[in-house]
Amino acid sequence: MTHITIEEFIDFVSIEELNDEAKALAAKVNGHILECSECLEKARAFQTIYDAMGKIDSAHIEKAFSAVKKKNAEL
Amino acid sequence: MANFGRHSDDIINKVTVDDKFRSLFEKMLKEVIEEDRFDTLVSFVDLYMMGTIRYWCSADAFFNHPDHVDEIADLVRIKLMKKIVTGFIRKGENGVNNDPEGFKKWMFTVAKNTARDYFAYERNISKHQKELPDTEWNVDHDDDISDGITDGDGTDGDDISTTEDIFISDEAEEARRVLNQAFRIVMEGSSNVYIILTWVTSFLYMQVYYKSRIEASRYIREFGDKTLNELYEVVLELSKDVPWLVIDDDMKANVEKKLAAVSDIDDSRTYGECRFKEFYGENATARVSDWINKRNQRIINILRKKKDPSDNENGDDKR
């Protein structure tokens, strides 16, 4: 069984348009993870990271602003 | 949270799981499992969800526009396609989840979370633009970033939950477990160390400083003249500010082994050089930077659209 690669997972969770390419990739990944529990867990993990990266919360950004400036200066 | 309350649930409850729904559900399962197709899956949005999405959008004058309804509907279609297996079909312990009532709850949860993220995202952009009038919309800030990452199945809170407030997770520990697992997969994976470091640095930066992806992308570029080893040191430092994140010796060993291999070739190679040179040969078909760029492109498109409204007036693509 050929497992889904990290690159394919990244492309899969990054899909933002319903075009033929996206559908083909989704079909490949979904088809595989229906049968492969190892890749199913990986898919969930990649979705978790991707979704977490999308969280934008202006309140937190405001709160963290001073700390950001300080730490950036240190870098 | 405006328009996500009881009346919203009332509207959702009007969608009954009748014979037509069940028939479509069975057709959808067959398509996804046996035919690698998603036509019926995405059709659920048009058949059952548009009214609800319109209702959510109607809470705020800024979002009460067909463009926003269409945009959210598009995002829901895509999300259903991406999560139908992880979030629903394989949600249970055994076999295929063939519960149409559960599917209805799940798809509306996906839609609700998608709409909520969309509103927060658009509000954030409009705030930074300082061009749009303020409204009474209030994004729910009760769920902090770590809580908001996941609910039960680790897929952006698209777990099937009860009705009152799906968005405030009481499963933060589970979310962190899944996230730690994800980090282990990345750090112990076979990807190039450049990809691994880009990924974990971006994520840690967002976790520590509550920053967005596009800001993380800018942050990463600041390391252009630093070596990969120096970037790795930053990763270890940032990780200290995320106490629930476990980066153990095995994970470090994998990354350090890869760093040593790079150093054997050229220990002065900078992160910036890695970004732009053919350092990884032909095997690297995708990189995290590509991923971040894809995300950034959406923001750029939105900013362009808002900067030049004539694009829409001329009938150009709204995205």
Side-chain angles (χ1 to χ4, degrees):
Chain A
M1 179 185 290
T2 303
H3 293 289
I4 303 298
T5 66
I6 282 183
E7 288 77 12
E8 286 171 327
F9 276 127
I10 289 175
D11 280 346
F12 173 63
V13 299
S14 303
I15 288 174
E16 293 210 344
E17 286 183 49
L18 266 181
N19 55 33
D20 289 344
E21 185 184 2
K23 287 178 183 175
L25 178 62
K28 177 178 180 181
V29 174
N30 280 333
H32 181 77
I33 63 180
L34 276 166
E35 308 294 331
C36 175
S37 57
E38 182 184 340
C39 285
L40 176 65
E41 282 304 306
K42 286 184 182 178
R44 286 188 175 132
F46 276 90
Q47 284 174 338
T48 299
I49 284 190
Y50 182 73
D51 293 335
M53 290 174 79
K55 300 293 178 189
I56 297 175
D57 187 322
S58 56
H60 284 124
I61 289 174
E62 295 297 330
K63 274 195 282 188
F65 184 68
S66 57
V68 171
K69 285 177 70 175
K70 182 182 173 190
K71 293 213 172 188
N72 278 349
E74 290 172 2
L75 290 171
Chain B
M1 182 178 290
N3 275 15
F4 283 135
R6 288 186 182 281
H7 189 57
S8 170
D9 290 338
D10 289 343
I11 294 174
I12 293 170
N13 289 336
K14 286 180 182 174
V15 176
T16 55
V17 182
D18 55 13
D19 288 346
K20 180 187 174 189
F21 190 101
R22 290 175 193 278
S23 172
L24 282 170
F25 173 75
E26 287 170 12
K27 185 180 177 189
M28 179 276 293
L29 278 185
K30 186 171 186 295
E31 284 183 359
V32 172
I33 295 172
E34 298 177 16
E35 302 170 13
D36 293 337
R37 291 170 53 211
F38 308 97
D39 302 336
T40 303
L41 175 65
V42 299
S43 76
F44 274 96
V45 175
D46 300 285
L47 292 171
Y48 294 104
M49 307 179 86
M50 295 304 289
T52 307
I53 295 171
R54 280 191 206 99
Y55 175 73
W56 290 334
C57 287
S58 68
D60 186 302
F62 177 54
F63 293 113
N64 190 16
H65 189 279
D67 279 357
H68 289 294
V69 175
D70 290 344
E71 184 88 6
I72 291 169
D74 278 346
L75 294 172
V76 173
R77 291 184 191 98
I78 292 165
K79 210 162 180 180
L80 290 177
M81 186 180 75
K82 288 197 285 189
K83 300 199 172 184
I84 182 62
V85 176
T86 56
F88 180 75
I89 292 179
R90 284 287 187 242
K91 177 66 180 172
E93 292 294 324
N94 301 312
V96 172
N97 185 348
N98 57 6
D99 171 21
E101 192 73 50
F103 174 72
K104 181 197 138 183
K105 289 180 183 174
W106 175 75
M107 74 177 188
F108 274 107
T109 302
V110 169
K112 196 182 257 188
N113 288 343
T114 302
R116 177 230 193 188
D117 287 348
Y118 178 84
F119 294 143
Y121 184 89
E122 291 287 321
R123 292 285 296 162
N124 191 278
I125 287 177
S126 67
K127 178 181 176 182
H128 286 292
Q129 278 191 308
K130 297 183 185 301
E131 292 176 0
L132 298 167
D134 194 18
T135 71
E136 295 303 315
W137 181 270
N138 286 311
V139 175
D140 183 358
H141 295 308
D142 289 336
D143 49 346
D144 66 22
I145 285 181
S146 57
D147 283 343
I149 290 168
T150 60
D151 289 1
D153 68 349
T155 54
D156 190 26
D158 298 328
D159 191 12
I160 300 168
S161 184
T162 52
T163 54
E164 274 309 303
D165 194 343
I166 297 165
F167 307 122
I168 300 176
S169 169
D170 59 355
E171 301 182 19
E173 287 303 314
E174 172 64 7
R176 290 171 180 178
R177 185 193 68 78
V178 173
L179 202 52
N180 268 306
Q181 183 185 32
F183 256 83
R184 179 173 297 282
I185 289 169
V186 172
M187 289 197 67
E188 293 186 348
S190 58
S191 290
N192 198 288
V193 69
Y194 161 78
I195 294 174
I196 294 172
L197 291 177
T198 302
W199 188 316
V200 297
T201 307
S202 300
F203 186 76
L204 286 169
Y205 178 69
M206 286 182 279
Q207 284 291 307
V208 173
Y209 298 127
Y210 306 108
K211 287 292 182 178
S212 65
R213 272 179 290 221
I214 194 167
E215 290 165 318
S217 182
R218 292 194 192 107
Y219 175 74
I220 285 287
R221 293 194 192 106
E222 298 298 315
F223 292 92
D225 61 348
K226 305 293 184 185
T227 66
L228 294 180
N229 281 299
E230 289 171 322
L231 184 56
Y232 179 57
E233 291 299 319
V234 170
V235 166
L236 296 180
E237 281 300 310
L238 287 173
S239 68
K240 292 175 184 173
D241 289 333
V242 187
W244 51 266
L245 184 66
V246 177
I247 299 181
D248 64 22
D249 290 344
D250 288 342
M251 296 155 79
K252 289 178 184 173
N254 185 56
V255 174
E256 288 165 11
K257 182 180 172 185
K258 290 170 180 290
L259 285 170
V262 173
S263 295
D264 286 345
I265 299 169
D266 180 359
D267 62 4
S268 66
R269 191 177 293 275
T270 66
Y271 179 73
E273 287 174 316
C274 292
R275 288 178 68 96
F276 299 111
K277 291 188 176 180
E278 291 299 320
F279 182 67
Y280 298 109
E282 298 301 320
N283 293 330
T285 57
R287 297 172 183 172
V288 172
S289 57
D290 297 332
W291 178 16
I292 293 173
N293 287 339
K294 281 182 187 176
R295 299 294 306 180
N296 292 351
Q297 189 60 46
R298 179 165 177 261
I299 295 174
I300 291 167
N301 289 342
I302 291 169
L303 291 174
R304 281 178 179 160
K305 179 180 72 174
K306 288 177 177 171
K307 189 176 179 182
D308 184 7
S310 63
D311 284 354
N312 277 345
E313 291 167 10
N314 294 333
D316 291 344
D317 189 321
K318 60 186 171 60
R319 302 186 73 162

